[in-house]
């Protein structure tokens, strides 16, 4: 969606009395939008916008966003969806690469650095989806250390194990071939 169109939609919605906005797009990743910061700045400056929130897997964010966060007043909640409890489970559940895992670690670290500010106006929720049998108490991966740091800083934390809307790798290809459900290979 172009920034002009986005601004027009916000103007129309606020004219009808809407003050709260959820920004997670159908693709599920707000940071795919290369002009996201302009849109967020528009919402921050708009007198009719009371608050906004969104979800992200936080892989594609940037330092520019972390630089933007200390000044936000209307961001209510940023929910970060984390898939896997370490690099191996991240790759298994997302089909992602080591580079994407490293981006996630770097970006979460930047977010938590920013979140430490006592003046912050927003809330961060961390939602971890991982394999059955996961043990929080012995969790000592890069993601684990960051999530535990986040929890100590007051982030919300939700951990779901073994439950996925896409089966999370619990159903293998052979089982799929035996089922009546046809799953096409992902395109990249």
């Amino acid at each position: 969606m172009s920034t002009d169109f986005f601004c027009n939609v916000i103007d129309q919605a606020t004219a009808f009395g809407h003050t709260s906005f959820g920004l997670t797009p159908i693709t599920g990743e707000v940071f795919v939008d290369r002009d996201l910061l302009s849109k967020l700045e528009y919402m921050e400056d708009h007198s009719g916008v009371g608050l906004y929130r969104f979800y992200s897997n936080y892989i594609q964010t940037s330092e520019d966003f972390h630089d933007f966060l200390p000044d936000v007043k209307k961001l209510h909640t940023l929910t970060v969806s984390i898939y896997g409890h370490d690099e191996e489970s991240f790759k298994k559940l997302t089909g992602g690469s080591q580079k994407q895992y490293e981006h996630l670690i770097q970006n979460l670290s930047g977010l938590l650095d920013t979140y430490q500010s006592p003046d912050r106006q927003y809330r961060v929720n961390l939602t971890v989806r991982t394999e059955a049998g996961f043990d929080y108490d012995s969790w000592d991966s890069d993601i684990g250390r960051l999530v535990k740091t986040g929890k100590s800083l007051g982030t919300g934390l939700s951990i779901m194990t073994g439950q996925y809307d896409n089966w999370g790798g619990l159903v293998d290809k052979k089982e799929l071939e035996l089922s009546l459900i046809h799953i096409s290979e992902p395109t990249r």
Side-chain angles (χ1 to χ4, degrees):
M1 174 185 303
S2 75
T3 301
D4 288 341
F5 184 69
F6 177 87
C7 294
N8 185 279
V9 169
I10 296 300
D11 291 343
Q12 289 181 50
T14 57
F16 282 112
H18 296 281
T19 61
S20 176
F21 297 88
L23 299 180
T24 303
I26 292 172
T27 61
E29 184 50 54
V30 296
F31 290 105
V32 170
D33 185 341
R34 292 186 179 169
D35 205 22
L36 177 65
L37 286 182
S38 295
K39 293 171 182 170
L40 297 180
E41 287 169 352
Y42 186 77
M43 295 188 78
E44 286 289 329
D45 294 337
H46 197 293
S47 62
V49 173
L51 62 89
Y52 59 93
R53 65 180 64 82
F54 59 89
Y55 291 78
S56 172
N57 65 25
Y58 225 65
I59 295 169
Q60 293 179 302
T61 191
S62 66
E63 285 185 39
D64 291 341
F65 181 70
H66 293 145
D67 293 342
F68 172 76
L69 277 174
D71 298 322
V72 300
K73 302 289 185 239
K74 297 181 182 181
L75 173 61
H76 182 268
T77 309
L78 165 57
T79 299
V80 179
S81 298
I82 300 169
Y83 295 91
H85 60 275
D86 57 17
E87 184 175 351
E88 181 182 336
S89 60
F90 169 85
K91 288 178 181 177
K92 179 180 177 183
L93 296 176
T94 65
S97 67
Q98 178 181 356
K99 185 174 183 179
Q100 288 174 313
Y101 177 79
E102 290 168 357
H103 281 288
L104 173 61
I105 297 303
Q106 178 182 348
N107 293 336
L108 276 176
S109 181
L111 175 62
L112 295 175
D113 286 346
T114 304
Y115 198 68
Q116 292 184 46
S117 169
D119 299 327
R120 68 175 148 62
Q121 303 277 322
Y122 58 95
R123 174 144 177 88
V124 169
N125 290 327
L126 302 174
T127 302
V128 181
R129 291 170 178 86
T130 194
E131 301 166 309
F134 163 77
D135 178 32
Y136 179 85
D137 293 329
S138 62
W139 193 14
D140 192 37
S141 65
D142 294 330
I143 291 176
R145 287 186 291 278
L146 288 168
V147 168
K148 287 179 178 183
T149 296
K151 185 177 178 189
S152 74
L153 294 172
T155 66
L157 177 60
S158 173
I159 299 175
M160 294 176 262
T161 60
Q163 298 177 8
Y164 308 94
D165 56 8
N166 65 357
W167 299 298
L170 295 177
V171 178
D172 65 27
K173 189 167 184 153
K174 183 177 179 183
E175 289 173 305
L176 287 175
E177 289 169 356
L178 294 173
S179 76
L180 298 176
I181 302 169
H182 173 72
I183 305 296
S184 59
E185 291 295 322
T187 56
R188 296 202 184 227

